[in-house]
Amino acid sequence: MVSRVIPVDPFDLVVFGGTGDLARRKILPGLYRRYLAGQIPETSRIVGAARGEMDDAGFRSFVADALGEFLPGSTRDGETVGKFLAHLHYVPVDAKGEGGWPDLARLVRHDVVQAFYFSVAPALFGDLAERLHRFGIAGPEARIVVEKPFGRDLESARALNATLAEHFHESQIYRIDHYLGKETVQNLMAVRFANILFEPLWNARHVDHVQITVAETVGVGGRGAYYDKSGAMRDMVQNHLMQLLCLIAMEPPYRFDPDAVRDEKLKVIHALQPVPAEDIVRGQYRGSARKGPGGEPSYVEDAENPASRTESYIAMKVQIANWRWKGTPFYLRTGKKLRARASEIAIVFKEVPHSIFGDEEGWRENVLSIRLQPNEGMTLSVMIKEPGPGGMRLTEVPLDMSFAEALGEDGSDIPDAYERLIMDVIRGNQTLFMRGDEVEAAWAWTDPIIAGWEARGDRPKGYDPGSSGPEDALMLLHRDGRRWREIRE
Ligand code: BG6
């Protein structure tokens, strides 16, 4: 099935930090893929802006290299790449000074959609926002896109919101959480709100518990300095896992409209309970036993901080105090250097109230599993009779709702989260972006949890690279008579 491509209006997109890592790995290759899909109108301009001196030709060859590195050769014939590169420009700008801004003002037009992507340190957001107005670049409808981390606590997030609000209206601010751009995450909303089947079961009466797992195999090597000040709670839970939790837990919005959806998510965040110490397990990966070539460094080596107490893994039991979810725990876990790269949301339903088949061996609950990556898709496990004449024996089979068939065998037609979100910015659709109050509420819940373990002086537990995390995380579920789902690709 070829996905429908919705045309967009001509635009000028300026990427501040245009030669940075995110631009190279995600933003620019994503734009090329949108070009292939016919979504970059002929007259649109994509402008890289950064500190370094470079001309258009230099930037085009930088982008050509990035496409070569991050996209399969089959998608890159020379002529098409050349036509895409013709949309690109580069302006050296000094975020804290005056240099380059008049040049940018000459290049960026007012009669097309304007988007400014701040792929830079948050400390520069205010400087960029102010200059975009002072130099007459941003028109009244201009949109700005800001990356995480959006603050490191409530206070800094408030300060950032206040700075941005001095120059832009909330309706112009697009705070990216790229998890919201993932194909399955949006499908979660479709499954919940476009089918009658699930809604009657979607509550504490029928859902035993929910597991949200975002497991990664990579360590923090290369970005240890940033990560060590952040840890899994700030880097992943406060934003990505929180957003997933909100989409599962929220009430049906009255319409699929940005504020209607975000109002419902905000209510969930407000209903989150404080998390007691015994419901949190933090971990830090050890190094591999073998040192030297082929051996793997430990977290503290990657972070270059032997005394670090930062967690590279966290598991927690989260309770939502409202009518729908009271009594249904949400277990969250995320970590680096785990056994597989696998992200999954599992809705584990309760057992039938009475089994007419007796105490069947191998009885399992119904589970709706939503796979974010890899192998995007959904399965619903149901119990059926084992085929054959062997009597009334039950077996579990998956009802497969995977998207592979619909979206190309290898999933290569599934747009990357970034390209989808950038196109939403151009279309002016904020549904999949976080509103300022949402981010602040998420920090208001996160801050006391972090303050709690800091005050207690808790140390994270060690876990082996390639494992499922610290042993104590198993206990978090065992003591409730439950078990984690296996982490596997
Ligand atoms: C980022 C985090 O936001 O998300 C990284 O800062 C993490 O630490 C990444 O590795 C995971 O994203 P994805 O799309 O690869 O699951």
Side-chain angles (χ1 to χ4, degrees):
M1 188 177 84
V2 178
S3 47
R4 263 185 308 145
V5 171
I6 306 167
V8 296
D9 292 331
F11 61 85
D12 282 355
L13 167 67
V14 179
V15 184
F16 292 104
T19 52
D21 200 45
L22 185 70
R24 211 167 62 85
R25 279 188 304 116
K26 296 286 185 187
I27 302 173
L28 294 159
L31 286 164
Y32 176 70
R33 283 178 42 116
R34 288 299 91 202
Y35 178 77
L36 290 181
Q39 273 192 323
I40 309 278
E42 222 21 70
T43 57
S44 297
R45 291 177 184 164
I46 297 165
V47 183
R51 218 173 10 195
E53 282 299 327
M54 201 187 270
D55 58 11
D56 286 355
F59 186 57
R60 287 172 186 169
S61 91
F62 165 85
V63 176
D65 289 349
L67 302 185
E69 197 176 338
F70 297 106
L71 292 177
S74 57
T75 62
R76 291 183 280 114
D77 75 87
E79 194 187 331
T80 317
V81 172
K83 284 187 184 157
F84 170 71
L85 295 179
H87 288 272
L88 302 185
H89 302 270
Y90 183 83
V91 181
V93 289
D94 178 1
K96 290 199 161 292
E98 317 287 301
W101 292 96
D103 299 328
L104 199 56
R106 274 190 289 281
L107 196 57
V108 176
R109 297 162 295 174
H110 277 242
D111 55 353
V112 295
V113 172
Q114 295 184 314
F116 300 94
Y117 199 128
F118 292 6
S119 180
V120 297
L124 296 177
F125 288 179
D127 297 308
L128 296 180
E130 186 269 328
R131 283 165 178 74
L132 283 173
H133 288 294
R134 173 146 56 95
F135 289 91
I137 301 170
E141 306 275 303
R143 294 153 202 170
I144 57 168
V145 185
V146 296
E147 268 296 329
K148 69 177 271 272
F150 199 85
R152 66 181 322 274
D153 53 21
L154 176 58
E155 196 189 335
S156 52
R158 272 195 185 137
L160 269 182
N161 275 335
T163 305
L164 294 180
E166 279 173 34
H167 307 284
F168 291 94
H169 188 263
E170 181 63 34
S171 63
Q172 299 176 279
I173 304 172
Y174 290 70
R175 295 176 195 77
I176 281 211
D177 184 313
H178 78 281
Y179 267 58
L180 290 180
K182 291 188 190 273
E183 177 71 25
T184 5
V185 173
Q186 290 164 71
N187 244 299
L188 173 60
M189 285 192 273
V191 161
R192 277 198 67 190
F193 303 129
N195 296 285
I196 193 74
L197 283 182
F198 296 103
E199 180 55 25
L201 303 177
W202 210 262
N203 54 49
R205 276 180 58 212
H206 301 289
V207 176
D208 180 72
H209 70 280
V210 175
Q211 296 187 19
I212 304 178
T213 301
V214 177
E216 298 185 90
T217 49
V218 292
V220 304
R223 60 202 281 265
Y226 151 76
Y227 191 92
D228 202 42
K229 290 198 200 69
S230 169
M233 185 71 183
R234 288 192 172 95
D235 186 51
M236 299 292 288
V237 177
Q238 185 273 346
N239 38 77
H240 305 325
L241 277 82
M242 169 83 81
Q243 289 295 322
L244 300 179
L245 179 145
C246 284
L247 295 182
I248 302 163
M250 71 183 183
E251 296 301 313
Y254 72 95
R255 209 153 39 119
F256 192 57
D257 155 284
D259 277 325
V261 170
R262 297 184 301 176
D263 286 347
E264 295 306 335
K265 287 197 304 177
L266 183 61
K267 287 184 208 161
V268 174
I269 304 177
H270 283 150
L272 294 178
Q273 292 291 282
V275 184
E278 64 271 20
D279 288 350
I280 305 171
V281 177
R282 295 192 310 132
Q284 209 181 56
Y285 59 84
R286 304 189 185 103
S288 57
R290 187 152 62 101
K291 295 286 168 199
E296 290 188 47
S298 65
Y299 174 81
V300 291
E301 285 162 332
D302 276 342
E304 295 180 24
N305 178 5
S308 174
R309 289 185 180 182
T310 302
E311 74 286 355
S312 59
Y313 173 99
I314 188 164
M316 56 206 299
K317 176 178 172 182
V318 176
Q319 312 264 12
I320 304 173
N322 63 18
W323 277 37
R324 185 184 285 267
W325 294 116
K326 178 82 183 174
T328 294
F330 282 58
Y331 298 99
L332 316 184
R333 66 178 162 166
T334 180
K336 307 280 185 201
K337 287 258 178 131
L338 296 177
R339 63 173 349 127
R341 177 170 186 260
S343 299
E344 183 203 58
I345 299 168
I347 317 289
V348 182
F349 291 94
K350 290 191 169 160
E351 291 183 8
V352 292
H354 163 68
S355 167
I356 63 167
F357 305 108
D359 288 335
E360 262 292 330
E361 257 303 285
W363 171 261
R364 295 263 192 289
E365 327 82 344
N366 297 124
V367 179
L368 174 64
S369 152
I370 301 152
R371 297 271 304 184
L372 269 56
Q373 59 202 24
N375 320 321
E376 289 90 339
M378 299 193 192
T379 53
L380 177 65
S381 65
V382 291
M383 300 303 291
I384 60 162
K385 177 193 162 296
E386 206 174 78
M392 195 61 192
R393 291 169 63 86
L394 300 183
T395 186
E396 181 193 349
V397 290
L399 278 184
D400 192 353
M401 300 187 271
S402 103
F403 317 132
E405 204 185 312
L407 289 156
E409 284 290 287
D410 56 357
S412 60
D413 289 345
I414 300 181
D416 177 77
Y418 275 94
E419 56 192 275
R420 183 194 310 270
L421 293 173
I422 293 170
M423 285 301 123
D424 277 357
V425 174
I426 304 296
R427 287 190 207 100
N429 184 345
Q430 288 184 304
T431 311
L432 298 175
F433 295 82
M434 288 174 300
R435 213 168 49 191
D437 52 359
E438 232 184 301
V439 182
E440 290 185 15
W443 280 120
W445 175 76
T446 309
D447 279 0
I449 298 175
I450 297 177
W453 72 59
E454 283 177 353
R456 291 189 299 274
D458 287 355
R459 287 179 174 282
K461 311 275 189 255
Y463 63 94
D464 290 330
S467 70
S468 304
E471 300 270 307
D472 289 24
L474 299 178
M475 285 315 296
L476 197 62
L477 270 76
H478 278 181
R479 65 169 205 222
D480 294 346
R482 302 180 173 116
R483 60 184 145 60
W484 286 111
R485 289 166 60 80
E486 212 182 307
I487 298 178
R488 63 185 146 122
E489 295 224 334

